[in-house]
Amino acid sequence: MATRTPIVGGNWKMNTTRASAVSLAETVATSCREHTATCDVVIFPPFPYLSAVGEALGDSGVQLGAQDVYHESDGAFTGEVSTAMLRDIGVNAVILGHSERRHVIGEDDALIHRKLLATLEADLLVIFCVGETLEQREAGQTETIVLGQLESGLTDVPASRLVQMVIAYEPVWAIGTGRTASPEDAQAVHACIRTAVASRYDDVTADSLRIQYGGSVKADNASALFAQPDIDGGLIGGASLDGGAFASIVREASRISHGASA
Ligand code: PGA
């Protein structure tokens, strides 16, 4: 079994200005460059700043990602952006199924699934987010919800495409709240996701799949989370807007060595 390369994403959400986005990207490029050989680092700025941020990242090895995409290739879809447009400006990863798109914007499993298939087809990396709400967790439904979202996303996705996917487990109650899942609780869900992928596909596919944790990851809790055997990095919101904090999290992730044969 090969070691899984850790991956850290910086999801800037609807924050920054053109100037602050470029400046933050420059900081990330400088501080994360040395880690990109051992950890995949991707930042997800707002759409209008993608090109400028891509230029600021230069040859640092930090990759450029988009926070969303539409599944149609072109045409009368006012306000939407296609995979080809993203590729055209140097984007190589897309977040799909984020809880804010599910619960604030109202995207359902069917739409997310159409976007996911189109994004894989375009040879972009998919960061596919799954996670339960507080109500669902308290009702003991965490596994059912997470595995249901996973199953819906993976429908019609062949094993050969899983190298192009990262699963982000993001409990909704932990996003932007300062409330992080305990490393043990997060690990339990990550292990459950990996087991489900093994039974849907096979052990080799499941062992090579990267599963990130997201939800109030900060510089001071990253190492305990990343020490868990099935946590292969993080999707970072708030802390990714602070270049120094983000670089510390990337440094912690670059030390992970999970998935190697025992
Ligand atoms: P947070 O966001 O780190 O601010 O909790 C995580 C995310 O939404 O991906």
Side-chain angles (χ1 to χ4, degrees), residues 11 13 98 100 170 174-177 214-218 235-239:
N11 176 9
K13 308 191 180 182
H98 190 278
E100 285 143 22
E170 301 210 304
I175 297 178
T177 58
S216 297
V217 178
K218 310 278 178 230
L235 185 54
I236 321 301

Side-chain angles (χ1 to χ4, degrees), residues 116 120 125-126 128 154 157 161-167 209:
L116 191 150
L120 290 176
L125 181 74
V126 172
F128 176 51
L154 292 179
V157 176
R161 283 287 193 189
L162 272 263
V163 288
Q164 251 178 277
M165 281 186 73
V166 173
I167 309 295
L209 177 70

Side-chain angles (χ1 to χ4, degrees), residues 4 7-9 94-97 102 116 120 125-131 146-147 149-155 157 161-170 189-197 200-201 205-206 208-214 230-235:
R4 297 186 290 272
I7 176 163
V8 175
V94 179
I95 297 174
L96 293 173
R102 290 180 190 268
L116 191 150
L120 290 176
L125 181 74
V126 172
I127 312 290
F128 176 51
C129 306
V130 295
V146 167
L147 296 186
Q149 291 170 344
L150 186 71
E151 181 62 31
S152 162
L154 292 179
T155 303
V157 176
R161 283 287 193 189
L162 272 263
V163 288
Q164 251 178 277
M165 281 186 73
V166 173
I167 309 295
Y169 168 55
E170 301 210 304
V189 180
H190 281 231
C192 163
I193 292 172
R194 201 176 301 287
T195 303
V197 171
R200 185 185 169 84
Y201 298 95
T205 303
S208 15
L209 177 70
R210 293 176 296 174
I211 309 174
Q212 294 178 304
Y213 170 79
D230 287 296
I231 301 186
D232 305 311
L235 185 54

Side-chain angles (χ1 to χ4, degrees), residues 73-260:
S73 56
D74 52 38
F77 303 102
T78 302
E80 297 299 335
V81 168
S82 72
T83 54
M85 291 171 186
L86 294 180
R87 285 186 58 108
D88 205 16
I89 55 164
V91 165
N92 53 22
V94 179
I95 297 174
L96 293 173
H98 190 278
S99 78
E100 285 143 22
R101 296 217 60 90
R102 290 180 190 268
H103 300 291
V104 182
I105 315 289
E107 289 191 8
D108 62 11
D109 281 338
L111 176 61
I112 295 163
H113 181 240
R114 283 196 290 275
K115 292 182 174 192
L116 191 150
L117 293 180
T119 307
L120 290 176
E121 191 60 37
D123 288 328
L124 292 158
L125 181 74
V126 172
I127 312 290
F128 176 51
C129 306
V130 295
E132 81 287 2
T133 63
L134 185 58
E135 212 175 34
Q136 291 162 339
R137 171 159 282 257
E138 286 173 347
Q141 296 169 343
T142 300
E143 224 175 88
T144 314
I145 296 297
V146 167
L147 296 186
Q149 291 170 344
L150 186 71
E151 181 62 31
S152 162
L154 292 179
T155 303
D156 298 329
V157 176
S160 58
R161 283 287 193 189
L162 272 263
V163 288
Q164 251 178 277
M165 281 186 73
V166 173
I167 309 295
Y169 168 55
E170 301 210 304
V172 179
W173 48 271
I175 297 178
T177 58
R179 213 179 139 186
T180 320
S182 72
E184 296 72 24
D185 282 350
Q187 165 60 25
V189 180
H190 281 231
C192 163
I193 292 172
R194 201 176 301 287
T195 303
V197 171
S199 53
R200 185 185 169 84
Y201 298 95
D202 54 78
D203 286 347
V204 175
T205 303
D207 286 340
S208 15
L209 177 70
R210 293 176 296 174
I211 309 174
Q212 294 178 304
Y213 170 79
S216 297
V217 178
K218 310 278 178 230
D220 60 3
N221 60 20
S223 76
L225 287 159
F226 298 166
Q228 298 295 320
D230 287 296
I231 301 186
D232 305 311
L235 185 54
I236 321 301
S240 71
L241 296 171
D242 174 335
F246 186 68
S248 302
I249 295 168
V250 168
R251 190 175 321 111
E252 292 301 335
S254 70
R255 299 189 178 130
I256 302 177
S257 179
H258 295 160

